[in-house]
Amino acid sequence: QEQYTSSFQDAFKNVMNGINPRLPKTDLFYAMMQFSDMLAQDRAIADKTALLVTDGLENSKYTTFHKRKSMANIAPEKELLRLSSRQLITEWFNAKVYIYGLGYLEDKDVYVAPDMIEPLKEFWRLYFTAGNAQVKGLGTPALLVNSLR
């Protein structure tokens, strides 16, 4: 158990250190499709868990959740319909999904109010549920769970 915890912590630190918050476009939905493809490839693992580290702020030709240096007002159901019409909802094969970082903005002077975070959180809950995932934790931005099970 301790060996796995140490390996996870090292891997997590490497991921966090490699994040570039200044990328001009994110295309999160394509990244999600690629990640889901990896889940699908290993059918021998029946109990899948995905820990995603993302601010959840899509910025692509399909939609943007950004507004200047902050977050845009998001209509979760409307955004989900937009993705569905473009076949951008990904199959998650009943994986347990946790997200760390939703709504995180690099600018320390920008405050994101809870009434802005809640629609973002609701959108991702709807997105993963529509793709047959078990939404276990949506960190806004911190993931407040005791374990990933």
Side-chain angles (χ1 to χ4, degrees):
Q1 176 96 18
E2 190 173 311
Q3 174 190 3
Y4 294 118
T5 302
S6 172
S7 297
F8 174 79
Q9 288 172 338
D10 292 342
F12 190 73
K13 284 178 189 174
N14 286 337
V15 168
M16 295 304 291
N17 289 334
I19 292 174
N20 180 357
R22 292 187 174 86
L23 293 174
K25 297 287 183 194
T26 53
D27 284 314
L28 287 176
F29 304 116
Y30 282 109
M32 297 290 181
M33 291 169 98
Q34 291 173 329
F35 190 78
S36 174
D37 287 346
M38 289 189 314
L39 285 175
Q41 288 175 7
D42 199 343
R43 296 194 188 277
I45 300 173
D47 186 18
K48 298 174 184 348
T49 300
L51 171 61
L52 306 169
V53 179
T54 178
D55 61 11
L57 300 176
E58 172 71 357
N59 187 21
S60 68
K61 68 180 183 179
Y62 301 111
T63 193
T64 184
F65 295 169
H66 288 269
K67 183 177 183 180
R68 297 188 189 127
K69 290 186 177 183
S70 190
M71 245 172 63
N73 289 321
I74 299 166
E77 293 84 6
K78 181 180 173 184
E79 292 296 343
L80 193 67
L81 284 172
R82 183 180 303 185
L83 293 180
S84 182
S85 71
R86 292 181 169 93
Q87 288 80 43
L88 291 173
I89 296 179
T90 302
E91 173 61 47
W92 288 92
F93 308 97
N94 204 36
K96 296 175 190 125
V97 174
Y98 298 83
I99 296 183
Y100 177 89
L102 280 181
Y104 174 78
L105 297 172
E106 181 187 25
D107 189 341
K108 306 283 188 258
D109 297 328
V110 177
Y111 169 71
V112 181
D115 65 335
M116 296 289 285
I117 290 286
E118 284 306 313
L120 178 68
K121 190 175 178 179
E122 178 64 7
F123 166 78
W124 286 107
R125 188 189 65 72
L126 291 171
Y127 169 83
F128 285 111
T129 300
N132 298 312
Q134 298 177 51
V135 180
K136 294 294 193 173
L138 299 175
T140 54
L143 185 56
L144 303 175
V145 296
N146 291 331
S147 68
L148 301 180
R149 293 188 182 165

